[in-house]
Amino acid sequence: MNFLFTVLRQLGRNLRQTWGVQIMTLLTVTLSLLIFSFFYLVYTNVVNLGDRLSEDIRLIAYLDEEPNLELRKQLERKIIQFDDVEEINFITREQAYDRFKAQLGENATVLDGMPKNFLSPSVEVVPVKTLGHLNRLKDFSSYLSKINGIQKVQSGQEWVEKFNATSQLITIVVIASGALLILTTIFMVAFTIRLTILGRHDELELLKLVGATNSYIRTPFMLEGILHGLLGSSIGLGALYVLFLWIKTHFTTPGFMTMFDFTFLGPWGMAMIILSSIFLCTLGSWATMQRFVKG
Amino acid sequence: MKKRVQRKVEPMIEVIKVTKTYPHDITALHEISLTVNKGEMCFLIGRSGAGKTTLLKLLCNMEQATRGLIEVAGQEMNLLRGRKLSQLRQQMGVAYQDFKLLPERTAAENIAISMEVSYKKPQVIRDRVCSLLDQLGLADKYDTLTGELSHGEQQRVTLARAIANSPSIILGDEPTGNLDAASTERVMRLLSNCNKAGATILIATHDETIFREGSHRVLEIADGRLEGIAAFPTTL
Ligand SMILES: Nc1ncnc2c1ncn2[C@@H]1O[C@H](COP(=O)(O)OP(=O)(O)OP(=O)(O)O)[C@@H](O)[C@H]1O
Ligand SMILES: [Mg+2]
């Protein structure tokens, strides 16, 4: 109880005496946390999108004519000859028409008066979703296009490749901004604590002389680090949330939304960010204090 | 009477052949040996620059001896670190010659520091501080910043801080250097009360009046050497 009281009073003195620097540090921690968590947010959304996209990966082979049962069996056999697949669906002209109509939604009226059979029948091949199978998708599609009776093959593969390259880039950015966060946080907090120590050097020396233990001297500064970590990360995440809402309302059209469901960080992600930020700030102040109490 | 005899045989401060050399080969103390027993009060005299402050600094571990052995309360000073050192320092009150007060804190806050580090209750601290300020004739300076106090007032605040935590060892470096006779009288009465309560006290001073009338031991340092141990002051 007395310990807590003394420590808190000391913390209050520290904050009062160097509040200018304290605010600067808080801003730096907040800003670097904002930068990091922004990229992290983008990253998690991109990863989600990637998962959803690869769920949608399929090869669509358009056929010259509606296949009869015999031809279907033949095609199935040829497809399985090349690679294991998850699903093979035959789509008739009418099914294709219905799907298209459903996709158009309200605009479906443009189809009025069109014959129901103007779309080609097709085979839909859903590949097995492992990296090995997905990497053979290009060969698969050229194999299919050489089969008699298949007009042309459509695959989202190029798109997926580009997407993968992008998400790798984003991963690198996330790691880089994470490293930046770690460095700035530790250095800024260490810098603040060092300034506080310099500003109160006489007092801290005197405390040592009258028999203050290291924990008596160190605890308020550790608390200061914890405070910076907690406040900095909370404010940073709060700012990120505001940014998130702004982006969501200004940049996402309804059509885009259905494909790209922009979501905020989950509670675990936020807890991890706050905890690591507290950890980093405390580490920064601990390292500085260690040098002081030893010296 | 028996108690006194027992006290005498138990040394509180032991200094054995201690030499202190500052950088640039300045030898402040040269093979000094002395013993202060538990519950004893004694005085350290000597011309300016003789090495009195240096000796006190060695005793409270502000400086390290270059050679020789220093034991305080049975602990070897050169080896003392961390928690052990903190504990000993909480048991040791030092009134520094340069005061080491925090000018932006009030007199009360400055005195309280030595009690806060051993986590005394705020109420206990307040009572003790008030009583000390009262005994030293500074009752109205409770809330005054020490930076705004006169030299003599600062000196008394320093002494109050040294004895506030009721230490078992008190080191005073010229505790009456800037004081008038009445204040000197108050300070000495306070110190001798501490001594009667069992504290071991060593006082460095130029002020003959404070030891002339007592029967306390007086040690004289000259040029970093202990001149002689006079049971009775040479001036008598
Ligand atoms: N930090 C230091 N570095 C170098 N020399 C020092 C240092 N402190 C003291 N000295 C020297 O050591 C010698 C003893 O100094 P000390 O302060 O112990 O004297 P003193 O007896 O306390 O004097 P006074 O009565 O004036 O306070 C002096 O010659 C002084 O110049
Ligand atoms: Mg001196």
Side-chain angles (χ1 to χ4, degrees), chain B residues 134-203:
Chain B
D134 199 36
Q135 290 176 65
L136 289 168
L138 294 169
D140 55 335
K141 303 293 184 206
Y142 188 93
D143 277 327
T144 313
L145 299 183
T146 46
E148 294 166 5
L149 293 176
S150 78
H151 229 60
E153 287 166 338
Q154 290 186 13
Q155 189 158 43
R156 279 174 284 164
V157 172
T158 306
L159 184 86
R161 184 184 60 197
I163 62 181
N165 204 27
S166 308
S168 49
I169 304 164
I170 298 170
L171 306 177
D173 202 345
E174 308 217 19
T176 59
N178 299 290
L179 302 183
D180 56 87
S183 301
T184 300
E185 168 76 28
R186 281 176 193 269
V187 166
M188 288 321 291
R189 198 180 320 131
L190 197 54
L191 280 172
S192 96
N193 283 343
C194 291
N195 181 236
K196 277 180 199 133
T200 309
I201 301 180
L202 182 59
I203 294 169

Side-chain angles (χ1 to χ4, degrees), chain B residues 31-47:
Chain B
E31 300 210 334
I32 288 247
S33 296
L34 64 96
T35 302
V36 181
N37 290 322
K38 208 175 224 173
E40 195 185 351
M41 171 149 152
C42 61
F43 294 88
L44 195 60
I45 58 170
R47 283 213 325 269

Side-chain angles (χ1 to χ4, degrees), chain A residues 115-182:
Chain A
K116 282 202 170 186
N117 61 355
F118 77 101
L119 291 165
S120 297
S122 57
V123 196
E124 218 178 64
V125 180
V126 182
V128 179
K129 263 132 210 151
T130 61
L131 218 56
H133 289 289
L134 288 178
N135 281 341
R136 294 176 69 189
L137 225 51
K138 208 168 197 168
D139 294 340
F140 205 164
S141 92
S142 61
Y143 167 81
L144 286 181
S145 62
K146 278 176 201 135
I147 295 174
N148 264 345
I150 292 184
Q151 279 180 342
K152 104 180 185 205
V153 181
Q154 192 191 324
S155 72
Q157 229 246 327
E158 277 164 36
W159 208 85
V160 170
E161 270 175 6
K162 270 186 200 146
F163 178 80
N164 279 345
T166 315
S167 74
Q168 264 165 16
L169 184 70
I170 292 178
T171 312
I172 292 171
V173 171
V174 166
I175 292 173
S177 65
L180 186 78
L181 170 79
I182 291 174

Side-chain angles (χ1 to χ4, degrees), chain B residues 20-24 26-29 45-57 63 97 173-174 204-206 221 224:
Chain B
K20 174 66 188 175
T21 312
Y22 283 114
H24 311 298
I26 300 168
T27 303
L29 293 176
I45 58 170
R47 283 213 325 269
S48 181
K52 302 181 293 296
T53 301
T54 303
L55 180 59
L56 295 186
K57 280 183 177 170
E63 296 280 355
Q97 191 169 18
D173 202 345
E174 308 217 19
T205 188
H206 290 292
I221 298 187

